[in-house]
Amino acid sequence: MAKQKGNTIQELDVGQMVRRSMLKQRLTHAMMARKLKRHQSTVKHMIYNSSIQTYLVWELSLALNHNFFADLAQQLDAATDG
């Protein structure tokens, strides 16, 4: 469950979710960069942030064929007791 502190949410790390999915699919930063048509350093910077802009989460979901919004919704349900 995510813990809220002020206006931030601890333990909610979208970048970590993306990295886990990449690891599971055995995708490198270079492979992701090609899929996203972005520079490798841009992709590294993107996925090592705990917070990622919505349109980037959308692009990452498509590139990895994984619905990160569903994962986030599940965490929100758990945090708000459904």
Side-chain angles (χ1 to χ4, degrees), residues 1-2 4 6 10 18 21 32 41 47-51 55 58 63-66 69 73 77-79:
M1 180 185 316
Q4 190 166 349
Q10 297 174 343
V18 171
S21 184
M32 278 301 294
S41 63
I47 66 173
Y48 281 94
N49 280 317
S50 61
S51 167
Y55 78 95
W58 183 277
L64 291 168
N65 198 30
H66 181 89
F69 292 104
D77 282 346

Short mmCIF file of all heavy atoms in Angstrom, two decimals, residues 1-2 4 6 10 18 21 32 41 47-51 55 58 63-66 69 73 77-79:
data_model
loop_
_atom_site.label_atom_id
_atom_site.label_comp_id
_atom_site.label_asym_id
_atom_site.label_seq_id
_atom_site.Cartn_x
_atom_site.Cartn_y
_atom_site.Cartn_z
N MET A 1 0.85 -1.18 0.00
CA MET A 1 0.00 0.00 0.00
C MET A 1 0.89 1.23 0.00
O MET A 1 1.86 1.31 0.71
CB MET A 1 -0.92 -0.01 1.23
CG MET A 1 -1.81 1.20 1.25
SD MET A 1 -2.86 1.41 2.71
CE MET A 1 -3.49 -0.19 3.03
N ALA A 2 0.52 2.21 -0.80
CA ALA A 2 1.29 3.45 -0.87
C ALA A 2 1.00 4.31 0.35
O ALA A 2 -0.14 4.41 0.81
CB ALA A 2 0.94 4.22 -2.14
N GLN A 4 1.03 8.04 1.98
CA GLN A 4 1.02 9.43 1.55
C GLN A 4 1.69 10.30 2.60
O GLN A 4 1.46 10.15 3.78
CB GLN A 4 -0.41 9.90 1.31
CG GLN A 4 -0.45 11.26 0.64
CD GLN A 4 -1.82 11.58 0.09
OE1 GLN A 4 -2.68 10.74 0.03
NE2 GLN A 4 -2.01 12.81 -0.29
N GLY A 6 2.30 14.35 2.88
CA GLY A 6 2.10 15.66 2.25
C GLY A 6 1.45 15.46 0.89
O GLY A 6 0.46 14.76 0.77
N GLN A 10 4.80 7.94 -1.18
CA GLN A 10 5.98 7.09 -1.07
C GLN A 10 5.60 5.69 -1.52
O GLN A 10 4.45 5.30 -1.46
CB GLN A 10 6.48 7.06 0.37
CG GLN A 10 6.94 8.40 0.88
CD GLN A 10 7.28 8.35 2.37
OE1 GLN A 10 6.89 7.44 3.06
NE2 GLN A 10 8.01 9.36 2.80
N VAL A 18 8.24 -0.22 -14.60
CA VAL A 18 8.69 -0.34 -15.99
C VAL A 18 9.97 -1.18 -16.05
O VAL A 18 10.10 -2.08 -16.89
CB VAL A 18 8.92 1.05 -16.62
CG1 VAL A 18 9.58 0.94 -17.98
CG2 VAL A 18 7.59 1.81 -16.73
N SER A 21 9.24 -4.83 -15.71
CA SER A 21 8.67 -5.37 -16.94
C SER A 21 9.75 -5.56 -18.01
O SER A 21 9.76 -6.57 -18.72
CB SER A 21 7.57 -4.45 -17.45
OG SER A 21 6.94 -5.00 -18.58
N MET A 32 14.70 -0.62 -25.68
CA MET A 32 13.57 0.25 -25.35
C MET A 32 13.68 1.57 -26.11
O MET A 32 12.68 2.10 -26.59
CB MET A 32 13.50 0.52 -23.85
CG MET A 32 12.84 -0.57 -23.06
SD MET A 32 11.14 -0.89 -23.56
CE MET A 32 10.35 0.64 -23.10
N SER A 41 19.91 7.46 -23.53
CA SER A 41 20.05 8.20 -22.27
C SER A 41 18.71 8.80 -21.83
O SER A 41 18.44 8.90 -20.63
CB SER A 41 21.12 9.29 -22.39
OG SER A 41 20.73 10.25 -23.35
N ILE A 47 13.07 6.08 -17.03
CA ILE A 47 12.66 4.92 -16.22
C ILE A 47 13.33 4.87 -14.86
O ILE A 47 12.98 4.02 -14.05
CB ILE A 47 12.88 3.60 -16.98
CG1 ILE A 47 14.35 3.34 -17.23
CG2 ILE A 47 12.07 3.58 -18.26
CD1 ILE A 47 14.64 1.97 -17.82
N TYR A 48 14.27 5.76 -14.61
CA TYR A 48 14.87 5.81 -13.28
C TYR A 48 14.27 6.94 -12.44
O TYR A 48 14.82 7.31 -11.42
CB TYR A 48 16.40 5.88 -13.34
CG TYR A 48 16.97 4.51 -13.62
CD1 TYR A 48 17.26 4.10 -14.91
CD2 TYR A 48 17.15 3.60 -12.58
CE1 TYR A 48 17.74 2.82 -15.17
CE2 TYR A 48 17.63 2.32 -12.83
CZ TYR A 48 17.92 1.95 -14.13
OH TYR A 48 18.38 0.67 -14.38
N ASN A 49 13.13 7.45 -12.87
CA ASN A 49 12.34 8.38 -12.07
C ASN A 49 11.18 7.61 -11.45
O ASN A 49 10.62 6.72 -12.09
CB ASN A 49 11.77 9.52 -12.93
CG ASN A 49 12.79 10.58 -13.21
OD1 ASN A 49 13.53 10.96 -12.32
ND2 ASN A 49 12.85 11.04 -14.44
N SER A 50 10.81 7.95 -10.24
CA SER A 50 9.67 7.28 -9.61
C SER A 50 8.36 7.78 -10.19
O SER A 50 7.35 7.09 -10.17
CB SER A 50 9.70 7.48 -8.10
OG SER A 50 9.61 8.85 -7.80
N SER A 51 8.38 8.97 -10.74
CA SER A 51 7.19 9.59 -11.30
C SER A 51 7.41 9.81 -12.80
O SER A 51 8.44 10.32 -13.20
CB SER A 51 6.96 10.93 -10.60
OG SER A 51 6.02 11.69 -11.27
N TYR A 55 1.59 10.65 -20.54
CA TYR A 55 1.77 10.27 -21.94
C TYR A 55 2.97 9.33 -22.09
O TYR A 55 2.97 8.46 -22.97
CB TYR A 55 1.91 11.49 -22.85
CG TYR A 55 3.25 12.17 -22.84
CD1 TYR A 55 4.22 11.85 -23.80
CD2 TYR A 55 3.58 13.13 -21.89
CE1 TYR A 55 5.45 12.48 -23.81
CE2 TYR A 55 4.81 13.75 -21.89
CZ TYR A 55 5.74 13.42 -22.85
OH TYR A 55 6.96 14.04 -22.85
N TRP A 58 1.84 5.90 -21.08
CA TRP A 58 1.08 5.35 -22.21
C TRP A 58 2.03 4.74 -23.23
O TRP A 58 1.86 3.61 -23.67
CB TRP A 58 0.26 6.47 -22.85
CG TRP A 58 -0.62 6.03 -23.98
CD1 TRP A 58 -0.25 5.85 -25.28
CD2 TRP A 58 -2.00 5.72 -23.91
NE1 TRP A 58 -1.33 5.45 -26.02
CE2 TRP A 58 -2.41 5.37 -25.21
CE3 TRP A 58 -2.93 5.73 -22.88
CZ2 TRP A 58 -3.73 5.00 -25.50
CZ3 TRP A 58 -4.24 5.37 -23.18
CH2 TRP A 58 -4.62 5.02 -24.47
N ALA A 63 4.87 0.06 -25.73
CA ALA A 63 6.16 -0.52 -26.11
C ALA A 63 6.39 -1.87 -25.43
O ALA A 63 6.96 -2.78 -26.02
CB ALA A 63 7.30 0.44 -25.78
N LEU A 64 5.95 -2.00 -24.18
CA LEU A 64 6.16 -3.23 -23.42
C LEU A 64 4.95 -4.16 -23.46
O LEU A 64 4.99 -5.24 -22.86
CB LEU A 64 6.51 -2.89 -21.96
CG LEU A 64 7.87 -2.24 -21.77
CD1 LEU A 64 8.00 -1.67 -20.37
CD2 LEU A 64 8.97 -3.24 -22.05
N ASN A 65 3.89 -3.72 -24.13
CA ASN A 65 2.66 -4.49 -24.20
C ASN A 65 2.20 -4.88 -22.79
O ASN A 65 1.88 -6.03 -22.50
CB ASN A 65 2.84 -5.74 -25.07
CG ASN A 65 1.52 -6.33 -25.51
OD1 ASN A 65 0.54 -5.60 -25.67
ND2 ASN A 65 1.48 -7.62 -25.71
N HIS A 66 2.20 -3.87 -21.90
CA HIS A 66 1.82 -4.07 -20.50
C HIS A 66 1.04 -2.84 -20.03
O HIS A 66 1.48 -1.71 -20.24
CB HIS A 66 3.08 -4.24 -19.63
CG HIS A 66 2.76 -4.47 -18.20
ND1 HIS A 66 2.57 -5.74 -17.69
CD2 HIS A 66 2.58 -3.62 -17.17
CE1 HIS A 66 2.29 -5.63 -16.40
NE2 HIS A 66 2.29 -4.35 -16.06
N PHE A 69 -1.28 1.36 -16.33
CA PHE A 69 -2.41 2.05 -15.72
C PHE A 69 -3.24 1.09 -14.86
O PHE A 69 -3.74 1.47 -13.81
CB PHE A 69 -3.28 2.73 -16.78
CG PHE A 69 -2.60 3.87 -17.46
CD1 PHE A 69 -2.10 3.73 -18.74
CD2 PHE A 69 -2.44 5.09 -16.82
CE1 PHE A 69 -1.45 4.79 -19.38
CE2 PHE A 69 -1.80 6.15 -17.43
CZ PHE A 69 -1.30 5.99 -18.72
N ALA A 73 -4.00 1.48 -10.99
CA ALA A 73 -5.38 1.44 -10.49
C ALA A 73 -5.51 0.41 -9.36
O ALA A 73 -6.20 0.66 -8.37
CB ALA A 73 -6.34 1.11 -11.63
N ASP A 77 -6.75 1.19 -5.64
CA ASP A 77 -7.82 0.45 -4.97
C ASP A 77 -7.37 -0.06 -3.61
O ASP A 77 -8.11 0.04 -2.63
CB ASP A 77 -8.28 -0.74 -5.82
CG ASP A 77 -9.21 -0.34 -6.95
OD1 ASP A 77 -9.71 0.80 -6.95
OD2 ASP A 77 -9.44 -1.18 -7.85
N ALA A 78 -6.16 -0.58 -3.54
CA ALA A 78 -5.64 -1.08 -2.26
C ALA A 78 -5.46 0.06 -1.25
O ALA A 78 -5.74 -0.12 -0.07
CB ALA A 78 -4.31 -1.80 -2.49
N ALA A 79 -5.05 1.22 -1.74
CA ALA A 79 -4.83 2.35 -0.84
C ALA A 79 -6.12 2.98 -0.35
O ALA A 79 -6.16 3.59 0.71
CB ALA A 79 -3.98 3.42 -1.55
#
